[in-house]
Structure formats: C-alpha cells, structure tokens
Amino acid sequence: MLYQRRMRLPHVEDPTLNGVPLERMMLSLTSDGVTIGNAEPTVSMQDMPGRDGRLDLTLTDPSGAAYMGNRAITLSLYAIGGEDDILAAKTRLAALAGTIVTLSWRSLPGEYQGRMSLGAWEDKWAGPRQIATTVTMSIDAHPYLIGRSRSIALKTGANTIHVKGNRPCWPTWTLTPAANAKTVSIKDAHGHTLAVASTTAITGRISIITDPDHRKLRVNGNLMAPTLESDYFPLPPGVHTLALTGCAGILTYRPLTLI
C-alpha cells in the first residue's frame, strides 16, 4: 500500500495589532509593508575653551549606553471587499487612533508599544462602487521591543538570576517579609540597595514597581517610601547576584531588546 505524506508549509504569522492579526481586522499590508524608523540616542555635548574636542555630558544607563528616543513605525495598509466590509475595517482601525497600541509579528522577541495615529484614507472606486481603501498607520513607539513577562522565585540570601534581552529593564518585586522582620532589603552586586524599614515588624505583602513611569511601593496595600539610601535600580541583561534580607519573594520583569 502506498502512503502519501502531505508536506506541511511553514506558518507565517500575520502582524498583530493589540494581539489581533491584521487579517482579522479585514486589513492587509501593501507592498510598502512596515517601516521601522531608527532610534536616536539622546546625547548632550558641550564646547569648552582650553580643551580639544567636546565634553560629553550624555546621561547613560547602567550598560553605559545613551538613553534612546522614540522611533517612528509606519504600516501601509489596505482593505478590499464590499463597501460594508471596507467601512467595518475603517471603523475598527480608527477606534484605536490616539491610543497606545502594541505591534508584533513572527519571532520578534517582544512587541513595539506606542501611540497610534492614522493618515488619510484613499478610497478606490470601480464606477459607482468602492472596491478598496488604503491608509498609512503610524506609531510613535518606545525604542525597545518589550518582551513577555518573566517571573523568578527568590529566597532569603543570595540568588543568581539571568536577565534576558540586551538593554536594562525595570523589575517589579513582590516580597513576603520574614517573621518579626523590621527591615526588608534587596541588594545587587553593583552597590545598589532597595530597602523598607519600620519601627515594628513588617507584615503583609510588599509590592515594589521600579518603572520610572509607574513607580510605587506598597506594604499591605498602603503606600510607603523606601529608606533614604535606597535606589530603584534597573537590571542590566546578563547574570546577576541578588541578596535578599528579611524576606523572600518573586521578581517579575519584561526584557527589553533593541534591534
């Protein structure tokens, strides 16, 4: 008996907008496709009499790289079909205009995120009927690809972890104080400390978000401040040793990748 095996074609994922494939929004990419603009480093130079060259006053991240500005992403899109289908595609896409969206496709190690805007619709007609429309969608995007959330369990004492990506990321700490602990702290191998202190035993969950745009520290749901010597430090990519005192917990982060 002759058996035939059907060859499986590789699956090519459609770009997704907010996790929804474009084809499900009744949209497709034109031949111009997707354009990813460059991410310009934010630098500061100062001329100084009496020295050669210019003085570099650029602020840098823990990896020594200048902080990056946003990048422009454009998608050239079209919709075809009946007028009702085209109107539905327009309405669904336009509902996202002005909002923060995510864009991803294939095997990218994360998603682009930024505020979306729409260009002018260019309708195509065949006699009295509309048959297609084209539009350029733009995203003022964060320079890095933002990866999926990763969680690592941490114990009291020394912990060795590996941070993915190629740029420093901002972690979230969820800590459980040890019994009768009045001070809870996290230290890295680079001299940074993040600590909470109290005159009485600390009870309840400690949640610390270090992201500069959403930074907060709560103990048992109540806002608190860390100690004066504390740093809300980021985690550069690579291997790290973290020392926890007076607590155990979970480290959660989203790796950042520049391409």
Side-chain angles (χ1 to χ4, degrees):
M1 182 179 295
L2 178 63
Y3 291 93
Q4 291 184 338
R5 177 179 296 177
R6 178 176 295 179
M7 181 180 294
R8 293 185 177 180
L9 296 177
H11 176 63
V12 179
E13 294 183 9
D14 199 38
T16 64
L17 193 61
N18 285 352
V20 179
L22 290 176
E23 61 182 11
R24 294 187 187 176
M25 302 174 69
M26 296 180 286
L27 295 165
S28 298
L29 290 170
T30 71
S31 58
D32 291 333
V34 181
T35 301
I36 308 294
N38 62 316
E40 287 283 352
T42 303
V43 300
S44 176
M45 298 289 181
Q46 179 65 51
D47 291 319
M48 293 189 67
R51 73 182 305 274
D52 295 319
R54 306 181 72 191
L55 183 63
D56 188 350
L57 301 176
T58 302
L59 295 177
T60 59
D61 65 23
S63 67
Y67 289 96
M68 294 289 177
N70 277 9
R71 66 198 317 165
I73 300 177
T74 59
L75 287 79
S76 298
L77 303 169
Y78 72 91
I80 59 175
E83 292 187 28
D84 289 344
D85 294 332
I86 294 173
L87 178 59
K90 284 183 174 182
T91 302
R92 186 165 187 180
L93 185 62
L96 301 176
T99 68
I100 294 176
V101 300
T102 60
L103 175 69
S104 62
W105 67 87
R106 299 192 183 180
S107 58
L108 284 179
E111 60 190 16
Y112 288 110
Q113 185 179 96
R115 198 166 294 278
M116 186 195 112
S117 59
L118 281 179
W121 295 98
E122 296 184 17
D123 296 335
K124 312 297 181 182
W125 296 78
R129 291 185 298 179
Q130 184 182 10
I131 58 173
T133 191
T134 62
V135 69
T136 298
M137 186 190 88
S138 302
I139 303 175
D140 184 26
H142 189 277
Y144 308 135
L145 285 160
I146 304 172
R148 292 183 178 179
S149 180
R150 296 171 178 266
S151 296
I152 303 171
L154 303 173
K155 66 181 186 300
T156 303
N159 297 264
T160 300
I161 65 170
H162 185 266
V163 176
K164 303 293 185 180
N166 65 6
R167 291 287 168 150
C169 61
W170 295 95
T172 294
W173 310 92
T174 303
L175 307 175
T176 302
N180 302 317
K182 295 182 180 180
T183 300
V184 168
S185 69
I186 308 162
K187 295 183 180 180
D188 68 5
H190 306 287
H192 301 108
T193 300
L194 181 54
V196 181
S198 175
T199 57
T200 59
I202 301 174
T203 59
R205 188 178 70 171
I206 301 172
S207 176
I208 306 172
I209 299 174
T210 64
D211 181 350
D213 293 331
H214 309 283
R215 186 166 288 169
K216 66 182 66 173
L217 188 157
R218 292 182 181 272
V219 178
N220 203 22
N222 300 309
L223 282 172
M224 289 188 64
T227 59
L228 290 176
E229 68 272 15
S230 289
D231 292 314
Y232 285 101
F233 57 87
L235 295 175
V239 178
H240 296 270
T241 298
L242 300 171
L244 271 63
T245 302
C247 65
I250 297 174
L251 160 66
T252 304
Y253 75 97
R254 299 186 69 177
L256 300 180
T257 305
L258 178 68
I259 62 171

